[in-house]
Amino acid sequence: MLKAVPRLTSVPHVGSRMSKTCNLAALAKFHRASGAACQKAAHKSHDLPPMPPCDFKPLKHQGMSKQHMMEIRQLNCQPMTMKVTYYKSPVFIHQGHMQWLWDTDGKRYLDFFAGVATVSVGHCNPKVTAVAVAQMKRLWHTTCIYVTPPLQEYCEKLASLLPDPLKVVYLTNSGSEANDLAMLMARLHTGNHDMISLRGSYHGGSQQTMALTSNSAFKYPVANGGCTATMCPDVFRGPWGGSHCRDSPVQTIRTCDCPQGQCMANDKYIGQLDETFATSLPSRVAGFFAEPIQGMGAAVQYPKDYLKQAYQRVRERGGVCIADEVQTGFGRTGSHFWGFQGHEVMPDIVTMAKGIAGGFPMGALVTTPEIAAAFSKGAHFNTYGGNPMACSIASSVLDVMKEDGTQQNSLVVGTYLLTELAKLRDKHEIIGDVRGKGLQIGVEMVEDKVSRTPLSPAAMNDIFEETKDMGVLIGKGGVYGQNFRVQPPMCVTKDDADYFLAVFDRSIQNYMDRR
């Protein structure tokens, strides 16, 4: 039988992006040797393999100085801009091409975060850029009151990629807006109010979606009720879990003696959901939100049958099931185009954004005709939803995904990354877990594998900073900021993966040597 583990000791809560930034007086240290010379020196000093070649030549930065940019960022940009500025020495990005970014000094970076899993087919993908330029010359914007070809063409194309009866498309400007809309639809359709989400989830920053989001770093003390978070079925950090729970090439290091075909960890977490229904919710609910793999929660995966059984329980209580595909959609998980397909479930509403248009601001919601009919009783209008530029770019992104086989590449390169990262987990005591599917990957850092206490923010920042200095950009996440997020553009190669692995391994080893 699986045994519950002792409750973890409390740790200081840190936001996933709350790195301290330098003051203006320290900006002089940003001015370092640039370009190839800088990288060559870094490779020599760290004994790394050469960065994969790139024949693209970026333009030389001739704009404002870094000091002036930081002055504006501090004085004129909203305060959260400084609060989420990554790194002690911020990265001043000037240009991008596919999986590469260049800073204002000409230093090249391998982007393994893709603007938070957003740049799906690469920075300034030439095929998408050509379509964007052509559409910009033809028509930037007009309201969806008029019938524009890009809107109709894209809706048909997107709907064709989802199973029946998910065929009615609403276009938005962001994932937060799509999830906000999904909440409203669920409540109108069911006549119920209460929503359910999972702890550690992130579903948006609007006042309504903030209620769904179960991570205190993204909460404000304002009214946004009607949402209850149930225990996240995290088989690494949670009280139950084993070595066969996840649909992933890499399982946890926890032991498991479950009988064939039965996951007792899943049964325990479903029991917690039942407890939530019994103690914290009315008899009828509006809906249940879940990411197929958590994003900001750092690629947390659930036992294989969890969503199936959760969906059943929600529907028994009159609710609808919403799959938040903002990060997992469009082939990122590799095995399927949509993350929910890996769980063998059929949601009532699917929300999406980020990779939908390769970084161009856009989101969408797709639902059934029945739910759409209930919503159409009022007047819903979005000035920019269905913008011709957004639709043309998103349509081109779908074409590139098909032509270039990005889903298959996510499967092949992602599986390779996961298995190689698992070797680093076995090598380093402070890597507690490696998880994910395709190019949706999380690496959980711990003080040690026995206690699983989250690695300290200072240590995380140390490794994070050094990885950047060696030319690779990754993300951070998790409730305690203890996870590294690996979500590169879906055009990355095995050579890129090898370079990232070498840099990541070296950064961790250097930290361990100092510790």
Side-chain angles (χ1 to χ4, degrees):
M1 292 289 290
L2 292 171
K3 295 182 179 180
V5 298
R7 184 178 298 274
L8 294 171
T9 57
S10 62
V11 297
H13 188 284
V14 295
S16 61
R17 299 185 184 180
M18 308 307 179
S19 300
K20 292 183 179 179
T21 55
C22 62
N23 57 34
L24 294 178
L27 282 168
K29 70 181 179 181
F30 298 153
H31 297 270
R32 305 170 178 168
S34 63
C38 177
Q39 289 173 284
K40 189 173 182 180
H43 294 158
K44 183 177 180 180
S45 63
H46 293 284
D47 192 27
L48 291 173
M51 181 177 277
C54 174
D55 58 8
F56 181 83
K57 304 298 181 185
L59 298 171
K60 184 178 180 180
H61 173 68
Q62 296 179 324
M64 67 176 63
S65 69
K66 290 186 278 190
Q67 180 169 344
H68 191 191
M69 282 190 273
M70 289 302 292
E71 289 172 350
I72 294 171
R73 197 169 178 86
Q74 288 186 322
L75 297 175
N76 303 121
C77 295
Q78 53 99 351
M80 277 302 299
T81 305
M82 285 300 298
K83 199 171 183 181
V84 300
T85 299
Y86 268 5
Y87 307 112
K88 297 174 184 176
S89 301
V91 179
F92 294 80
I93 297 299
H94 165 56
Q95 192 166 354
H97 175 74
M98 302 305 284
Q99 63 267 52
W100 304 105
L101 289 169
W102 286 263
D103 68 13
T104 52
D105 290 329
K107 179 177 178 179
R108 178 161 60 104
Y109 295 90
L110 178 59
D111 184 5
F112 258 54
F113 197 32
V116 194
T118 297
V119 186
S120 50
V121 295
H123 295 279
C124 301
N125 184 293
K127 296 176 184 177
V128 179
T129 300
V131 170
V133 170
Q135 183 61 47
M136 182 171 282
K137 291 179 177 179
R138 188 162 53 245
L139 181 67
W140 285 21
H141 176 70
T142 188
T143 172
C144 60
I145 289 173
Y146 309 117
V147 182
T148 57
L151 172 59
Q152 277 48 240
E153 291 167 3
Y154 181 69
C155 286
E156 181 183 43
K157 190 178 290 188
L158 180 62
S160 72
L161 295 170
L162 286 135
D164 289 329
L166 296 168
K167 294 301 173 187
V168 183
V169 178
Y170 292 79
L171 297 179
T172 67
N173 303 297
S174 71
S176 293
E177 186 184 349
N179 282 336
D180 200 301
L181 183 60
M183 293 177 72
L184 178 58
M185 280 188 177
R187 285 167 169 162
L188 289 172
H189 173 67
T190 64
N192 304 323
H193 183 73
D194 286 69
M195 309 293 300
I196 313 161
S197 62
L198 299 175
R199 294 177 195 166
S201 64
Y202 180 84
H203 295 290
S206 69
Q207 186 167 352
Q208 285 298 309
T209 56
M210 196 188 307
L212 286 172
T213 294
S214 184
N215 186 326
S216 67
F218 303 99
K219 295 280 196 178
Y220 289 93
V222 295
N224 54 19
C227 298
T228 299
T230 192
M231 179 183 284
C232 178
D234 181 348
V235 298
F236 173 74
R237 181 153 297 283
W240 308 287
S243 54
H244 305 291
C245 294
R246 301 190 296 218
D247 175 24
S248 173
V250 177
Q251 299 292 334
T252 70
I253 57 176
R254 299 172 76 169
T255 58
C256 179
D257 56 3
C258 293
Q260 183 70 28
Q262 180 181 353
C263 178
M264 287 183 280
N266 180 69
D267 296 343
K268 294 285 189 180
Y269 288 115
I270 287 294
Q272 286 294 306
L273 177 59
D274 289 337
E275 186 78 5
T276 300
F277 279 121
T279 62
S280 305
L281 291 161
S283 60
R284 305 288 288 176
V285 298
F288 170 66
F289 269 80
E291 304 156 271
I293 300 174
Q294 285 192 341
M296 190 65 73
V300 173
Q301 290 178 283
Y302 327 126
K304 295 170 188 174
D305 289 333
Y306 181 82
L307 285 187
K308 280 185 183 178
Q309 295 180 33
Y311 274 27
Q312 178 184 351
R313 281 160 167 75
V314 170
R315 285 170 172 149
E316 287 171 352
R317 291 161 176 81
V320 297
C321 299
I322 300 103
D324 181 337
E325 294 275 358
V326 170
Q327 294 196 37
T328 51
F330 300 95
R332 178 162 287 278
T333 62
S335 62
H336 299 86
F337 199 76
W338 305 108
F340 70 80
Q341 294 170 315
H343 294 272
E344 299 179 350
V345 295
M346 174 63 75
D348 303 291
I349 300 173
V350 181
T351 58
M352 56 198 77
K354 292 193 181 292
I356 190 172
F360 195 87
M362 188 177 183
L365 177 154
V366 184
T367 189
T368 66
E370 181 184 7
I371 294 174
F375 186 63
S376 65
K377 294 175 182 177
H380 173 75
F381 183 78
N382 185 318
T383 300
Y384 289 104
N387 171 276
M389 284 294 299
C391 288
S392 292
I393 291 171
S395 184
S396 177
V397 165
L398 288 179
D399 292 341
V400 169
M401 287 177 174
K402 182 177 180 180
E403 294 164 8
D404 294 358
T406 56
Q407 180 182 330
Q408 179 65 16
N409 192 61
S410 293
L411 177 63
V412 173
V413 178
T415 300
Y416 174 75
L417 262 173
L418 281 160
T419 53
E420 292 299 309
L421 282 167
K423 295 176 184 177
L424 295 186
R425 176 198 63 191
D426 297 339
K427 174 182 177 182
H428 297 292
E429 177 66 12
I430 62 171
I431 299 181
D433 195 31
V434 171
R435 53 183 177 256
K437 286 180 66 178
L439 293 173
Q440 178 86 350
I441 298 171
V443 181
E444 178 141 352
M445 309 299 290
V446 295
E447 294 292 341
D448 61 82
K449 288 183 171 70
V450 175
S451 71
R452 288 176 288 153
T453 300
L455 193 64
S456 71
M460 290 291 294
N461 289 339
D462 194 355
I463 297 167
F464 191 61
E465 197 86 21
E466 190 160 4
T467 300
K468 176 264 295 182
D469 289 343
M470 286 190 272
V472 179
L473 305 178
I474 54 177
K476 286 190 293 182
V479 173
Y480 305 107
Q482 81 280 22
N483 289 267
F484 289 120
R485 298 168 64 188
V486 181
Q487 299 165 291
M490 293 189 285
C491 57
V492 292
T493 67
K494 183 176 176 292
D495 288 342
D496 299 331
D498 285 332
Y499 186 73
F500 157 72
L501 290 162
V503 166
F504 192 55
D505 183 26
R506 175 62 62 182
S507 298
I508 293 173
Q509 188 60 57
N510 288 347
Y511 166 76
M512 293 298 289
D513 291 344
R514 290 189 294 270
R515 190 165 88 158

